[in-house]
Amino acid sequence: MSSPFDVGVIDLMVTVPSPEAWQQTFAGLVRDEGSADLAHPAGYLFGDRPDIGGQADFLASLLGEMDRWGVERALLPVDEGDAWGRHAVRTHPHRFSGSLLIDPHRGSDERNKLRRLHAAGLVHAAAVFPAGLQPGVAVDGALLYPIYAACCELDIPVLVNVGVPGPRFPMSTQHPGGLDRVCYDFPDLRVVTRHGGEPWEDLLVKLMVKWPNLYYSTSAFAPKHYPGAIVDFANSRGQDKVLYAGYFPSGLSLERIFTELADVPFRVEVWPAFLRTNAQRVFGFT
């Protein structure tokens, strides 16, 4: 019998080495001494993070890992500080697509950048980290509405972090209840949640049943920690709603992810949708 992973996996969250990004982007948000010294804002959660330091060619290493574990395509950040991400999308467009992390405080400049990078073929999705903004912006905050409108205009999904954030930032901006209003106001917007949504995963299930264009991705969770409510939902009426996303190399190795995936109790018919076809449909991958 063939492996359920032999489908040409699409990974909706691979990150790139940006050694200075944490300090430049998030250091001003933390107040505890321990977080200020972390190389990753939620490093205390990932005790066995992959060590990719000092690699002369991260892209070659990444492609090798993807080939080893059957990952056909990966979604990478292509922000200004993510030179590896832009290089990857430019040189291997059949293997990589880009996502742009949005700062709505920058107003029209940010929307123009999104449009420009999309026109250049570098951006396939927008991403929002509500708790990581300075100051934070709720998922249904007015500042994000022009971004959501731009995503509708460009016909691209938006990835939104929800749930208690791993970094030691206040959580109130990431309550997934705000997505109810967003989905109401933007019925054509494809919204894909990131980073688990805990402790409100049951609420997310209810909202996904309610809203046709709301989806869940498994980013930053080791498979053995996938919420039971999400696994149950995928095995029932949510087969088309749950999408695979990893977190290599920021928190998890592909080896750990795919080793643990073998023990996730998805029904046989769920695997292709989870690992590939849902992402193809939601993100327009071919």
Side-chain angles (χ1 to χ4, degrees), residues 58-83:
F58 170 73
L59 183 53
S61 175
L62 174 58
L63 285 167
E65 282 295 286
M66 290 169 61
D67 290 343
R68 178 186 176 195
W69 297 103
V71 178
E72 181 179 291
R73 179 178 287 274
L75 192 67
L76 289 170
V78 292
D79 312 315
E80 279 91 345
D82 296 315

mmCIF file of all heavy atoms in Angstrom, residues 58-83:
data_model
loop_
_atom_site.group_PDB
_atom_site.id
_atom_site.type_symbol
_atom_site.label_atom_id
_atom_site.label_comp_id
_atom_site.label_asym_id
_atom_site.label_seq_id
_atom_site.Cartn_x
_atom_site.Cartn_y
_atom_site.Cartn_z
ATOM 1 N N PHE A 58 21.121 27.923 2.118
ATOM 2 C CA PHE A 58 19.921 27.408 2.759
ATOM 3 C C PHE A 58 18.954 26.823 1.747
ATOM 4 O O PHE A 58 18.303 25.816 1.995
ATOM 5 C CB PHE A 58 19.230 28.515 3.551
ATOM 6 C CG PHE A 58 17.862 28.137 4.039
ATOM 7 C CD1 PHE A 58 17.708 27.250 5.088
ATOM 8 C CD2 PHE A 58 16.721 28.657 3.432
ATOM 9 C CE1 PHE A 58 16.436 26.885 5.537
ATOM 10 C CE2 PHE A 58 15.458 28.313 3.875
ATOM 11 C CZ PHE A 58 15.314 27.420 4.931
ATOM 12 N N LEU A 59 18.846 27.448 0.582
ATOM 13 C CA LEU A 59 17.883 27.000 -0.419
ATOM 14 C C LEU A 59 18.183 25.574 -0.884
ATOM 15 O O LEU A 59 17.268 24.749 -1.001
ATOM 16 C CB LEU A 59 17.879 27.961 -1.605
ATOM 17 C CG LEU A 59 16.880 27.670 -2.720
ATOM 18 C CD1 LEU A 59 15.477 27.533 -2.170
ATOM 19 C CD2 LEU A 59 16.955 28.769 -3.772
ATOM 20 N N ALA A 60 19.441 25.271 -1.132
ATOM 21 C CA ALA A 60 19.795 23.915 -1.550
ATOM 22 C C ALA A 60 19.464 22.913 -0.454
ATOM 23 O O ALA A 60 18.954 21.812 -0.721
ATOM 24 C CB ALA A 60 21.284 23.839 -1.902
ATOM 25 N N SER A 61 19.735 23.297 0.797
ATOM 26 C CA SER A 61 19.412 22.426 1.923
ATOM 27 C C SER A 61 17.914 22.216 2.052
ATOM 28 O O SER A 61 17.428 21.105 2.289
ATOM 29 C CB SER A 61 19.981 23.023 3.215
ATOM 30 O OG SER A 61 19.596 22.265 4.335
ATOM 31 N N LEU A 62 17.145 23.305 1.884
ATOM 32 C CA LEU A 62 15.693 23.221 1.983
ATOM 33 C C LEU A 62 15.121 22.315 0.899
ATOM 34 O O LEU A 62 14.262 21.465 1.172
ATOM 35 C CB LEU A 62 15.092 24.620 1.883
ATOM 36 C CG LEU A 62 13.570 24.704 1.814
ATOM 37 C CD1 LEU A 62 12.925 24.037 3.027
ATOM 38 C CD2 LEU A 62 13.117 26.157 1.709
ATOM 39 N N LEU A 63 15.576 22.480 -0.333
ATOM 40 C CA LEU A 63 15.084 21.635 -1.417
ATOM 41 C C LEU A 63 15.412 20.171 -1.154
ATOM 42 O O LEU A 63 14.600 19.277 -1.447
ATOM 43 C CB LEU A 63 15.685 22.083 -2.747
ATOM 44 C CG LEU A 63 15.092 23.356 -3.338
ATOM 45 C CD1 LEU A 63 15.962 23.875 -4.479
ATOM 46 C CD2 LEU A 63 13.671 23.118 -3.823
ATOM 47 N N GLY A 64 16.577 19.912 -0.572
ATOM 48 C CA GLY A 64 16.932 18.543 -0.237
ATOM 49 C C GLY A 64 15.996 17.942 0.789
ATOM 50 O O GLY A 64 15.567 16.781 0.664
ATOM 51 N N GLU A 65 15.652 18.732 1.818
ATOM 52 C CA GLU A 65 14.718 18.256 2.838
ATOM 53 C C GLU A 65 13.321 18.058 2.253
ATOM 54 O O GLU A 65 12.624 17.098 2.572
ATOM 55 C CB GLU A 65 14.664 19.243 4.004
ATOM 56 C CG GLU A 65 15.826 19.144 4.957
ATOM 57 C CD GLU A 65 15.847 17.808 5.679
ATOM 58 O OE1 GLU A 65 15.020 17.589 6.579
ATOM 59 O OE2 GLU A 65 16.698 16.967 5.319
ATOM 60 N N MET A 66 12.900 18.974 1.402
ATOM 61 C CA MET A 66 11.589 18.834 0.774
ATOM 62 C C MET A 66 11.525 17.574 -0.080
ATOM 63 O O MET A 66 10.534 16.820 -0.021
ATOM 64 C CB MET A 66 11.278 20.080 -0.063
ATOM 65 C CG MET A 66 11.002 21.329 0.764
ATOM 66 S SD MET A 66 10.947 22.869 -0.224
ATOM 67 C CE MET A 66 9.577 22.516 -1.341
ATOM 68 N N ASP A 67 12.552 17.329 -0.855
ATOM 69 C CA ASP A 67 12.575 16.122 -1.680
ATOM 70 C C ASP A 67 12.586 14.863 -0.820
ATOM 71 O O ASP A 67 11.917 13.866 -1.139
ATOM 72 C CB ASP A 67 13.801 16.138 -2.589
ATOM 73 C CG ASP A 67 13.711 17.197 -3.682
ATOM 74 O OD1 ASP A 67 12.587 17.684 -3.944
ATOM 75 O OD2 ASP A 67 14.765 17.536 -4.250
ATOM 76 N N ARG A 68 13.311 14.923 0.276
ATOM 77 C CA ARG A 68 13.404 13.759 1.171
ATOM 78 C C ARG A 68 12.037 13.380 1.732
ATOM 79 O O ARG A 68 11.717 12.189 1.860
ATOM 80 C CB ARG A 68 14.379 14.071 2.302
ATOM 81 C CG ARG A 68 14.535 12.948 3.336
ATOM 82 C CD ARG A 68 15.407 13.412 4.496
ATOM 83 N NE ARG A 68 15.481 12.403 5.530
ATOM 84 C CZ ARG A 68 15.925 12.627 6.768
ATOM 85 N NH1 ARG A 68 16.335 13.853 7.103
ATOM 86 N NH2 ARG A 68 15.956 11.659 7.656
ATOM 87 N N TRP A 69 11.203 14.379 2.032
ATOM 88 C CA TRP A 69 9.927 14.110 2.698
ATOM 89 C C TRP A 69 8.720 14.302 1.785
ATOM 90 O O TRP A 69 7.583 14.286 2.251
ATOM 91 C CB TRP A 69 9.796 15.001 3.947
ATOM 92 C CG TRP A 69 10.865 14.668 4.945
ATOM 93 C CD1 TRP A 69 11.997 15.374 5.205
ATOM 94 C CD2 TRP A 69 10.913 13.500 5.777
ATOM 95 N NE1 TRP A 69 12.754 14.730 6.147
ATOM 96 C CE2 TRP A 69 12.112 13.574 6.523
ATOM 97 C CE3 TRP A 69 10.069 12.408 5.969
ATOM 98 C CZ2 TRP A 69 12.474 12.598 7.444
ATOM 99 C CZ3 TRP A 69 10.423 11.436 6.885
ATOM 100 C CH2 TRP A 69 11.623 11.539 7.609
ATOM 101 N N GLY A 70 8.958 14.439 0.489
ATOM 102 C CA GLY A 70 7.856 14.467 -0.458
ATOM 103 C C GLY A 70 7.081 15.761 -0.503
ATOM 104 O O GLY A 70 5.905 15.772 -0.878
ATOM 105 N N VAL A 71 7.729 16.878 -0.133
ATOM 106 C CA VAL A 71 7.078 18.184 -0.191
ATOM 107 C C VAL A 71 7.336 18.785 -1.574
ATOM 108 O O VAL A 71 8.466 19.106 -1.920
ATOM 109 C CB VAL A 71 7.592 19.131 0.915
ATOM 110 C CG1 VAL A 71 6.939 20.497 0.792
ATOM 111 C CG2 VAL A 71 7.324 18.519 2.293
ATOM 112 N N GLU A 72 6.279 18.919 -2.337
ATOM 113 C CA GLU A 72 6.400 19.401 -3.713
ATOM 114 C C GLU A 72 6.496 20.909 -3.786
ATOM 115 O O GLU A 72 7.222 21.465 -4.609
ATOM 116 C CB GLU A 72 5.200 18.923 -4.520
ATOM 117 C CG GLU A 72 5.208 19.335 -5.980
ATOM 118 C CD GLU A 72 4.004 18.797 -6.712
ATOM 119 O OE1 GLU A 72 3.922 17.574 -6.910
ATOM 120 O OE2 GLU A 72 3.119 19.608 -7.062
ATOM 121 N N ARG A 73 5.740 21.613 -2.946
ATOM 122 C CA ARG A 73 5.698 23.071 -2.982
ATOM 123 C C ARG A 73 5.629 23.607 -1.558
ATOM 124 O O ARG A 73 5.033 22.977 -0.675
ATOM 125 C CB ARG A 73 4.489 23.567 -3.773
ATOM 126 C CG ARG A 73 4.349 25.083 -3.832
ATOM 127 C CD ARG A 73 3.163 25.504 -4.677
ATOM 128 N NE ARG A 73 3.411 25.299 -6.091
ATOM 129 C CZ ARG A 73 4.022 26.174 -6.897
ATOM 130 N NH1 ARG A 73 4.439 27.345 -6.403
ATOM 131 N NH2 ARG A 73 4.201 25.923 -8.169
ATOM 132 N N ALA A 74 6.235 24.785 -1.336
ATOM 133 C CA ALA A 74 6.213 25.411 -0.015
ATOM 134 C C ALA A 74 5.879 26.882 -0.151
ATOM 135 O O ALA A 74 6.264 27.543 -1.128
ATOM 136 C CB ALA A 74 7.555 25.250 0.688
ATOM 137 N N LEU A 75 5.152 27.389 0.836
ATOM 138 C CA LEU A 75 4.840 28.810 0.930
ATOM 139 C C LEU A 75 5.863 29.451 1.857
ATOM 140 O O LEU A 75 6.012 29.051 3.018
ATOM 141 C CB LEU A 75 3.428 29.006 1.473
ATOM 142 C CG LEU A 75 2.816 30.401 1.376
ATOM 143 C CD1 LEU A 75 2.578 30.785 -0.087
ATOM 144 C CD2 LEU A 75 1.500 30.464 2.150
ATOM 145 N N LEU A 76 6.587 30.463 1.338
ATOM 146 C CA LEU A 76 7.682 31.116 2.049
ATOM 147 C C LEU A 76 7.387 32.598 2.235
ATOM 148 O O LEU A 76 6.745 33.222 1.393
ATOM 149 C CB LEU A 76 8.986 31.013 1.244
ATOM 150 C CG LEU A 76 9.694 29.678 1.107
ATOM 151 C CD1 LEU A 76 10.797 29.821 0.065
ATOM 152 C CD2 LEU A 76 10.280 29.253 2.432
ATOM 153 N N PRO A 77 7.903 33.207 3.317
ATOM 154 C CA PRO A 77 7.792 34.663 3.451
ATOM 155 C C PRO A 77 8.717 35.380 2.480
ATOM 156 O O PRO A 77 9.837 34.942 2.234
ATOM 157 C CB PRO A 77 8.200 34.919 4.905
ATOM 158 C CG PRO A 77 9.068 33.759 5.266
ATOM 159 C CD PRO A 77 8.543 32.587 4.492
ATOM 160 N N VAL A 78 8.225 36.482 1.930
ATOM 161 C CA VAL A 78 9.034 37.271 0.996
ATOM 162 C C VAL A 78 9.076 38.736 1.427
ATOM 163 O O VAL A 78 9.055 39.650 0.607
ATOM 164 C CB VAL A 78 8.500 37.145 -0.453
ATOM 165 C CG1 VAL A 78 8.721 35.742 -0.990
ATOM 166 C CG2 VAL A 78 7.020 37.533 -0.547
ATOM 167 N N ASP A 79 9.140 38.970 2.746
ATOM 168 C CA ASP A 79 9.247 40.325 3.255
ATOM 169 C C ASP A 79 10.631 40.889 2.919
ATOM 170 O O ASP A 79 11.530 40.159 2.480
ATOM 171 C CB ASP A 79 9.018 40.327 4.769
ATOM 172 C CG ASP A 79 7.779 39.516 5.141
ATOM 173 O OD1 ASP A 79 6.756 39.683 4.461
ATOM 174 O OD2 ASP A 79 7.860 38.707 6.075
ATOM 175 N N GLU A 80 10.830 42.185 3.183
ATOM 176 C CA GLU A 80 12.096 42.813 2.815
ATOM 177 C C GLU A 80 13.302 42.107 3.435
ATOM 178 O O GLU A 80 14.346 41.981 2.808
ATOM 179 C CB GLU A 80 12.102 44.292 3.255
ATOM 180 C CG GLU A 80 11.369 45.216 2.308
ATOM 181 C CD GLU A 80 9.912 45.367 2.673
ATOM 182 O OE1 GLU A 80 9.403 44.549 3.470
ATOM 183 O OE2 GLU A 80 9.270 46.304 2.155
ATOM 184 N N GLY A 81 13.149 41.618 4.671
ATOM 185 C CA GLY A 81 14.272 40.983 5.336
ATOM 186 C C GLY A 81 14.479 39.533 4.965
ATOM 187 O O GLY A 81 15.424 38.897 5.434
ATOM 188 N N ASP A 82 13.591 38.994 4.112
ATOM 189 C CA ASP A 82 13.647 37.568 3.786
ATOM 190 C C ASP A 82 14.201 37.368 2.382
ATOM 191 O O ASP A 82 13.499 36.953 1.453
ATOM 192 C CB ASP A 82 12.254 36.944 3.906
ATOM 193 C CG ASP A 82 11.731 36.979 5.337
ATOM 194 O OD1 ASP A 82 12.516 36.649 6.240
ATOM 195 O OD2 ASP A 82 10.571 37.344 5.537
ATOM 196 N N ALA A 83 15.481 37.675 2.227
ATOM 197 C CA ALA A 83 16.099 37.574 0.908
ATOM 198 C C ALA A 83 16.052 36.151 0.367
ATOM 199 O O ALA A 83 15.883 35.927 -0.839
ATOM 200 C CB ALA A 83 17.545 38.065 0.979
#
